[in-house]
Amino acid sequence: FVVNGEGLVAWIGHPMELDEPLSQIIEGKWDLAGEVKRIADEKAAQKKIKVLDDKLKSLLAKFNDDGEPAELLTALEEAETEIPQAAVSFRTLRFHVLTHVKDRIDDAIKFANEFLDSDLGKEPRNLDNLAWIIVNPDRETKAEPKLLKLALKIAAKADELAEGENPSVMDTLAKAYFDNGDFSNAVKTQTRLIEFVEGTSRAVDPQLKKRLSQYKRALANSESKSKDSKDKDAPKPPKK
């Protein structure tokens, strides 16, 4: 915080944001009334966020227990209206809920396509989070084929927006290829990821190579089955 020449606290914030207000306080140009209002508004917003957070946690726990999404989805829509700056978080959670309700899969697909067409869909990280909800290996049950195709579409778009340089997106895209049965592209994408993060802190993540081994095994098994099928279907030479 900064105290002005009258002994009043004129500014509160992060030290990295101090330069501009400090110069104005020294020059006597600082809008103290405006700063008081900003702090009051910020505190009110924080209080509102806390109330909403408690409500959403309670409804999420209820949804996890009974599988009924209506109340939670309504609350998330209302929360986005009240706190629009947190829209991406609320929409991501709405998508998570829709993808885990069997009779709402079509709604989830529609929701994702609208998300892709919005401004939020221009940020690779946002799309990565959506796709990972579907292909997350910790998901209790494997997603339906329609959702898996959607995940691949979203992850591919995220990789395009990131110009192939976002490790998290690459990891998600490789998993999406794998879950859709495209083991060759899963191996290629995971290999690209491992080469990209070489020499960085991400390189020590054991899951990266573990997944690559999983994809390679699946590809080898697929190629072996394909070869056996071709050999079986090949015409046999006539007996003498």
Side-chain angles (χ1 to χ4, degrees), residues 142 175-184 222:
K142 186 175 180 179
K175 183 62 165 55
Y177 276 128
F178 175 76
D179 285 351
N180 278 279
D182 188 345
F183 306 132
S184 178
S222 176

Side-chain angles (χ1 to χ4, degrees), residues 19 51 93-94 105 130 151 193 195 198 222 229:
D19 290 349
V51 172
L93 184 51
R94 281 169 63 192
I105 299 303
L130 289 192
L193 163 60
E195 291 173 352
E198 186 176 353
S222 176
S229 178

